[in-house]
Amino acid sequence: MLQIRDINKKIGSHTILSNISFDIKKGEIIAIIGPSGSGKTTLLRSLNYLEIPDSGILEFSDGSLKIDFKQHPNKQEILNLRRKMGMVFQSYNLFAHLNATQNITQGLISVQKMPKEKAIEIALNLLNKFGLKDRANAYPSSLSGGQQQRVAIARAVALKPNILLLDEPTSALDKELVSEVLSTLKMLANEHQTMILVTHELKFAKDIADKIIFLEDGKIVTIESPKEFFSSQNNPRILKFIGDLNY
């Protein structure tokens, strides 16, 4: 589906990302893990140009889009890229003045020019699917963190992205709320939604990921299957990381 080649980013003399390359296939789930400051969030945000890499190429295998970051993509290319990439943030990023349904329908109506009635139908179906049927008219301030994150996921999924990008979707949640968000992501995984997920939930990554990328100091240390990563691991640095998280 997508080839990612030689993504690089520096701030001053500090290297944030160095020659990041990997592929993701349709329906595949890639979990990116690693210590704080390793470049995980920057990498994820670079994939839809919320962060601007110094160089690198993104190319969809169907020929629909190729982005060369060194050539500075134009506004239309960036828009096309973001239409293919749904983004779910750590801190939900819901619009406080809009209720749950409106948060989901806004992009459908304003970006995709969908009729309001159709957009509302899609939003209500997703809210029902994610266990939020009774919260359709609730504003973010009256929703728990787990409910807000599920609305945020519904908002991203509603736009039918080719790839769903998730940046530590449970990191801002209390422990008792984490499971409801992970259950939602498992549902999407079972439906073969293509996802790139930054997470510290190692058990969850093991359960749903097809590949694990371990990132450190802006470099890919390894790309392995969950079985290889967790059961046959012999890299001392990775073993220490796993141990520190009490996996």
Side-chain angles (χ1 to χ4, degrees):
M1 172 178 272
L2 177 65
Q3 294 181 334
I4 296 154
R5 294 288 177 266
D6 298 321
I7 302 291
N8 291 281
K9 183 175 177 63
K10 284 188 175 182
I11 297 179
S13 61
H14 181 52
T15 298
I16 309 298
L17 298 172
S18 178
N19 297 319
I20 301 295
S21 298
F22 62 94
D23 298 341
I24 184 166
K25 300 175 183 176
K26 186 175 182 180
E28 199 168 44
I29 299 170
I30 294 179
I32 302 174
I33 66 175
S36 297
S38 59
K40 303 185 299 295
T41 292
T42 301
L43 171 57
L44 204 69
R45 291 171 62 88
S46 294
L47 296 181
N48 71 345
Y49 213 64
L50 289 174
E51 293 277 354
I52 302 174
D54 300 319
S55 61
I57 292 174
L58 302 183
E59 184 171 9
F60 284 85
S61 56
D62 62 1
S64 60
L65 184 64
K66 181 178 181 179
I67 299 286
D68 186 341
F69 292 122
K70 204 168 187 178
Q71 301 302 318
H72 303 296
N74 59 43
K75 288 183 178 179
Q76 187 59 52
E77 288 174 323
I78 295 168
L79 178 61
N80 291 342
L81 178 64
R82 289 177 178 166
R83 283 175 174 164
K84 290 177 175 290
M85 303 273 202
M87 186 81 181
V88 178
F89 301 90
Q90 294 181 38
S91 53
Y92 329 131
N93 284 25
L94 297 179
F95 295 104
H97 65 290
L98 301 179
N99 65 31
T101 302
Q102 292 166 335
N103 262 283
I104 298 169
T105 61
Q106 189 194 46
L108 294 171
I109 295 169
S110 63
V111 177
Q112 295 192 353
K113 309 302 179 185
M114 185 179 291
K116 184 177 179 180
E117 295 75 15
K118 178 63 175 176
I120 291 173
E121 179 185 347
I122 290 172
L124 293 178
N125 284 339
L126 283 169
L127 289 169
N128 183 47
K129 178 179 178 178
F130 292 170
L132 295 166
K133 183 178 181 180
D134 62 336
R135 309 302 283 155
N137 295 316
Y139 288 84
S141 60
S142 67
L143 298 173
S144 71
Q147 290 171 336
Q148 289 186 64
Q149 192 60 291
R150 281 183 283 161
V151 172
I153 293 169
R155 178 178 61 183
V157 170
L159 295 168
K160 295 185 176 179
N162 296 75
I163 302 173
L164 192 60
L165 308 175
L166 301 115
D167 184 18
E168 295 276 14
T170 61
S171 66
L173 301 177
D174 295 333
K175 286 186 178 180
E176 62 268 21
L177 300 177
V178 169
S179 62
E180 61 191 49
V181 173
L182 296 184
S183 294
T184 298
L185 296 180
K186 283 183 179 179
M187 185 189 309
L188 295 175
N190 290 335
E191 295 172 356
H192 308 292
Q193 169 67 57
T194 311
M195 291 187 266
I196 302 176
L197 168 75
V198 171
T199 184
H200 61 277
E201 300 283 347
L202 298 190
K203 288 185 174 65
F204 179 67
K206 182 180 179 181
D207 286 344
I208 75 160
D210 298 290
K211 294 177 186 173
I212 306 283
I213 292 178
F214 186 82
L215 201 67
E216 186 168 44
D217 297 328
K219 298 177 181 179
I220 292 179
V221 176
T222 188
I223 303 176
E224 297 177 311
S225 71
K227 183 178 180 180
E228 291 170 327
F229 189 86
F230 290 105
S231 302
S232 307
Q233 189 56 246
N234 55 20
N235 183 308
R237 176 64 190 96
I238 296 175
L239 289 170
K240 183 179 184 305
F241 176 82
I242 293 171
D244 288 345
L245 288 183
N246 298 314
Y247 169 76

